[in-house]
Amino acid sequence: MPVEQGRVSEPVPATTIIGADVGGTYARLGWAILRPGEPIKINDFRRYACAEHPSLAAILHDYAAGLRANPVLPPLGGAVVAIAGLLDGDRLLNTNLAWQVSLDATRCESGIGELELINDFVAVAHAIPHVARTALHPLSAIPGHHAAGPALVLGPGTGLGVALRLENSQPPVLASEGGHAALSAGNALELDVLRMLLQRHGHVDSERILSGPGLMTLYACLCEREGVAPRWQTPAELVQAARSADDPLALASIRAFCGWLGSVTGDLALTFGARSVYLTGGITGHLAQWLHEGGFQQRFLAKGALSSALQRVPVWRIDDGELGVLGALAWHAETSRHAATTGDRH
């Protein structure tokens, strides 16, 4: 397990930076005064419902207005927004957001000229060295220690985010769209689900199942397989039904989800040569009791001749609701430090 060293970074001194973590449902924001050698302390953490605001710029403008009205804070030096998707020129490519995002328009409309958009899981991977040990919960049975990189970071949310944290590398994080790689089956139930989905979609990627919406897709497929009508419409309802034993199919869906997630995580760990794994996201918190049952780890290790290699890879579940914001701020700190050393802004 990592020894907590404090959230230490060395960015440009005495500037107020906004960190934001924007998903399909919520935008989470906080700010920090970044000074060399001091921990990153997130202040005024707030959550915005994306559907209740006309744009990302509107959210940033509202949040920044409060900072600018505070006379004791250093000047606002900019903002870093961790957001799902890929930046294609000026436009963000993402199908899960409540609105289209243009980088130039967002800078103009928010009034924040120094604004950066980074991939949400790039941000999460930047946060890994700063995570408090109390937020780490082991999913593997190996002794508690922090293995060296590469570190695989992934998590189901509105989609399935994937990134790789490297050591002694610049940049230190490799972005990935591994959540869109084709999903494979490891047992008869998963084969049946894939057959159903292949009849409806030309491509079945991992996040089709391993995400919040995907959990409900999996449940609907299991209901169809058993010839019964679905009873639950949201992940929260499904989780509650599984906890209260109201519906055996709800419990079966969640256990199938955890096992399938374990299998895909093991595949990605082998693909990237990961030496440690960090599982993040709000869904993993809601499913914690089932993730720790053992099905996840069993499928993570079920890789034939290479199972023994994965037995040496520690797997942690991170429980930190501010992780994306921390990662955005850590990215800014690390980028600023590198720029100051090399003279290269990025």
Side-chain angles (χ1 to χ4, degrees):
M1 181 178 294
V3 176
E4 184 181 2
Q5 299 295 327
R7 296 175 171 179
V8 178
S9 302
E10 296 182 4
V12 176
T15 58
T16 302
I17 302 295
I18 295 173
D21 174 25
V22 179
T25 306
Y26 293 107
R28 299 167 176 86
L29 285 80
W31 61 267
I33 299 174
L34 299 178
R35 295 185 176 93
E38 293 187 6
I40 298 173
K41 181 180 182 297
I42 297 173
N43 300 278
D44 192 23
F45 181 82
R46 294 173 62 185
R47 190 175 74 170
Y48 293 78
C50 293
E52 296 176 2
H53 300 272
S55 65
L56 172 61
I59 292 174
L60 290 169
H61 185 275
D62 178 80
Y63 191 84
L67 299 185
R68 292 190 173 107
N70 189 333
V72 302
L73 290 180
L76 179 60
V80 179
V81 178
I83 191 166
L86 292 171
L87 196 61
D88 182 18
D90 179 61
R91 292 280 172 179
L92 183 77
L93 303 180
N94 184 296
T95 59
N96 296 319
L97 292 174
W99 3 253
Q100 296 293 316
V101 176
S102 158
L103 180 56
D104 286 343
T106 302
R107 284 172 174 158
C108 180
E109 295 169 17
S110 68
I112 304 173
E114 294 296 321
L115 172 67
E116 300 284 352
L117 299 183
I118 64 172
N119 178 268
D120 58 341
F121 264 77
V122 168
V124 169
H126 273 85
I128 292 302
H130 309 282
V131 174
R133 63 185 301 167
T134 54
L136 293 168
H137 307 277
L139 287 170
S140 57
I142 67 171
H145 68 278
H146 176 47
L152 174 66
V153 184
L154 77 161
T158 306
L160 179 64
V162 180
L164 196 70
R165 174 87 193 187
L166 305 171
E167 286 195 346
N168 302 318
S169 174
Q170 189 57 237
V173 173
L174 174 66
S176 168
E177 289 297 330
H180 292 288
L183 183 63
S184 62
N187 56 42
L189 183 148
E190 292 171 4
L191 280 171
D192 288 345
V193 171
L194 277 181
R195 287 191 191 101
M196 294 177 195
L197 294 177
L198 283 169
Q199 292 173 358
R200 304 163 195 166
H201 308 284
H203 172 67
V204 179
D205 56 16
S206 292
E207 74 171 33
R208 180 74 63 178
I209 291 294
L210 301 177
S211 61
L215 176 59
M216 300 313 297
T217 298
L218 178 58
Y219 169 62
C221 288
L222 264 60
C223 289
E224 181 179 341
R225 186 172 182 259
E226 297 298 320
V228 300
R231 296 172 58 189
W232 318 111
Q233 304 302 315
T234 68
E237 292 175 349
L238 189 72
V239 169
Q240 182 56 42
R243 284 183 179 143
S244 59
D246 282 345
D247 183 354
L249 275 180
L251 181 58
S253 299
I254 288 175
R255 284 178 167 155
F257 180 97
C258 292
W260 218 336
L261 180 60
S263 180
V264 169
T265 302
D267 289 342
L268 289 169
L270 290 176
T271 300
F272 286 119
R275 296 179 63 187
S276 56
V277 175
Y278 296 87
L279 198 63
T280 74
I283 291 176
T284 62
H286 295 307
L287 303 186
Q289 69 183 84
W290 297 288
L291 285 168
H292 289 271
E293 270 186 343
F296 173 95
Q297 183 67 4
Q298 182 181 26
R299 292 292 302 281
F300 176 78
L301 295 173
K303 302 301 174 188
L306 290 180
S307 294
S308 59
L310 288 179
Q311 286 175 350
R312 297 190 291 272
V313 177
V315 183
W316 309 97
R317 180 180 64 83
I318 301 178
D319 188 7
D320 185 340
E322 300 180 0
L323 193 65
V325 172
L326 171 63
L329 293 167
W331 178 91
H332 184 277
E334 197 156 357
T335 301
S336 298
R337 183 172 62 247
H338 178 69
T341 301
T342 65
D344 183 8
R345 177 170 169 75
H346 294 295

